[in-house]
């Protein structure tokens, strides 16, 4: 993997989760890391005042050195939601970000920061509401159309580096249409990977890739409203990381991903969520 981690903080204490989790993955995967600090609403009159970014940078550097992570530091002035995409899209970064501490009114007015970042960042994003370490259990969602391949590939690399178990999940959405194909999916919900259906082939392919990489992997299917079923699986399985194709990958993702499914999962999941856009082959 040629990618590097871009770990982001604006000094808010909640962003320590991204630093801790990103540093642990960087160590396991032997990846270079850039720590991006965004100083927001910098008052020229207070230029010499102690900024919370100083403390979190000092702690982060200590952690990087302790773990042996190769790192660089970058500090920018501005609004985080504008600065982060500019840097993240500049190189092959996996952007690691936690909640930025926005007031509830601002979240209501403009939406959560993660939704804005998912719209603007073309490279993978790892959203860390809380650090779940060590990384022992991964959940990978597949949609049957191949648009989750980028997320699946990163998931395999993370799982290999951490010797983690992998569950590959497909959710059969509810439908009122009584087609033979629909009845077939419903009848084989417990052995979907063994069927010659589009979802079944997708599950089987992802399973073979994971097992071919030497991972302990299994396939699973659920039926119901997609966001609710993914969140239910996350809670029941106590996963340390969820990997999903991005809702902004391509228009035809609507065939599996309802609008903003990845953002809705990231909003509510109690564990880190990695999203990666679909990249068309040349």
């Amino acid at each position: 993997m040629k990618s590097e981690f871009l770990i982001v903080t604006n000094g808010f204490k909640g962003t320590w989760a991204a630093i801790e989790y990103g540093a642990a993955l960087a160590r396991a995967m032997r990846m270079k890391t850039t720590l991006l600090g965004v100083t927001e609403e910098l008052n020229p009159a207070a230029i010499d005042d102690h900024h919370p970014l100083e403390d979190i940078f000092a702690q982060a550097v200590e952690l990087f050195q302790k773990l042996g992570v190769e790192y660089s530091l970058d500090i920018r002035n501005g609004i985080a939601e504008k600065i982060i995409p500019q840097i993240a899209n500049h190189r092959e970064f996996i952007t690691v970000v936690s909640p930025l501490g926005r007031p509830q009114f601002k979240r209501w007015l403009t939406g959560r920061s993660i939704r804005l970042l998912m719209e603007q960042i073309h490279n993978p994003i790892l959203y860390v509401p809380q650090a779940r370490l060590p990384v022992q259990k991964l959940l990978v969602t597949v949609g049957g159309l191949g648009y989750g391949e980028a997320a699946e590939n990163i998931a395999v690399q993370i799982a290999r580096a951490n010797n983690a178990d992998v569950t590959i999940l497909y959710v059969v959405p509810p439908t009122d249409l009584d087609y033979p194909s629909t009845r077939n999916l419903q009848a084989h919900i417990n052995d979907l990977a063994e069927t010659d259906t589009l979802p079944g082939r997708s599950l089987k392919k992802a399973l073979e890739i994971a097992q071919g990489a030497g991972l302990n992997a299994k396939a699973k299917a659920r039926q119901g409203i997609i966001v609710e079923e993914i969140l239910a699986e996350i809670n029941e399985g106590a996963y340390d990381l969820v990997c999903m194709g991005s809702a902004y990958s391509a228009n035809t993702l609507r065939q599996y991903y309802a609008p903003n499914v990845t953002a809705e999962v990231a909003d509510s999941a109690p564990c880190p969520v990695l999203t990666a856009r679909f990249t068309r082959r040349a």
Side-chain angles (χ1 to χ4, degrees):
M1 176 186 285
K2 296 181 180 179
S3 300
E4 302 177 18
F5 283 117
L6 176 69
I7 304 176
V8 179
T9 179
N10 62 347
F12 175 60
K13 62 181 181 180
T15 58
W16 179 253
I19 296 172
E20 183 181 18
Y21 198 82
L25 290 186
R27 179 192 187 187
M29 302 174 73
R30 299 179 181 180
M31 287 173 58
K32 296 180 181 179
T33 296
T34 296
L35 178 62
L36 172 64
V38 182
T39 57
E40 300 182 297
E41 300 179 358
L42 189 63
N43 187 342
I47 194 68
D48 294 325
D49 289 354
H50 186 79
H51 194 281
L53 204 59
E54 297 178 31
D55 290 335
I56 204 165
F57 255 54
Q59 295 171 21
V61 168
E62 182 179 353
L63 177 62
F64 294 153
Q65 293 176 344
K66 178 182 177 181
L67 297 180
V69 173
E70 184 178 349
Y71 69 93
S72 60
L73 306 177
D74 190 355
I75 299 179
R76 304 294 177 102
N77 297 329
I79 300 172
E81 287 85 353
K82 293 183 178 180
I83 297 296
I84 296 171
Q86 292 174 6
I87 306 300
N89 290 327
H90 185 64
R91 282 160 53 188
E92 290 189 36
F93 281 124
I94 296 176
T95 301
V96 188
V97 61
S98 288
L100 298 171
R102 301 307 187 214
Q104 184 174 356
F105 176 75
K106 184 173 182 179
R107 292 199 301 269
W108 174 82
L109 188 64
T110 63
R112 288 182 176 271
S113 296
I114 184 58
R115 291 177 179 264
L116 300 176
L117 295 176
M118 286 176 61
E119 292 178 15
Q120 299 176 67
I121 296 176
H122 305 299
N123 295 319
I125 304 172
L126 177 54
Y127 181 63
V128 187
Q130 58 177 286
R132 296 282 288 266
L133 296 169
V135 180
Q136 297 178 322
K137 296 180 66 178
L138 270 73
L139 178 67
V140 182
T141 66
V142 296
L145 297 173
Y147 293 120
E149 287 185 3
E152 293 168 28
N153 291 336
I154 297 173
V156 167
Q157 294 175 65
I158 293 175
R160 287 186 64 184
N162 291 276
N163 194 28
D165 296 337
V166 176
T167 298
I168 301 164
L169 176 70
Y170 180 87
V171 178
V172 179
T175 179
D176 295 328
L177 301 177
D178 188 21
Y179 290 138
S181 58
T182 302
R183 292 196 300 270
N184 189 29
L185 290 179
Q186 294 171 341
H188 291 278
I189 195 70
N190 293 322
D191 61 347
L192 192 58
E194 304 303 319
T195 66
D196 188 26
T197 61
L198 185 59
R201 293 193 296 270
S202 180
L203 271 175
K204 186 176 182 178
K205 179 181 178 182
L207 184 61
E208 289 175 346
I209 291 173
Q211 292 176 338
L215 300 174
N216 179 26
K218 65 180 181 180
K220 186 173 184 178
R222 299 180 70 112
Q223 184 174 6
I225 299 173
I226 295 176
V227 172
E228 293 181 2
E229 292 301 323
I230 293 175
L231 291 173
E233 178 64 28
I234 292 171
N235 289 312
E236 293 172 14
Y239 294 97
D240 304 309
L241 175 63
V242 179
C243 300
M244 307 178 65
S246 171
Y248 299 97
S249 298
N251 292 334
T252 49
L253 271 177
R254 293 180 180 178
Q255 297 179 54
Y256 173 75
Y257 289 107
N260 296 321
V261 164
T262 48
E264 290 178 32
V265 171
D267 274 349
S268 303
C271 68
V273 176
L274 183 141
T275 68
R277 293 192 183 203
F278 167 66
T279 302
R280 293 189 182 276
R281 295 184 178 92

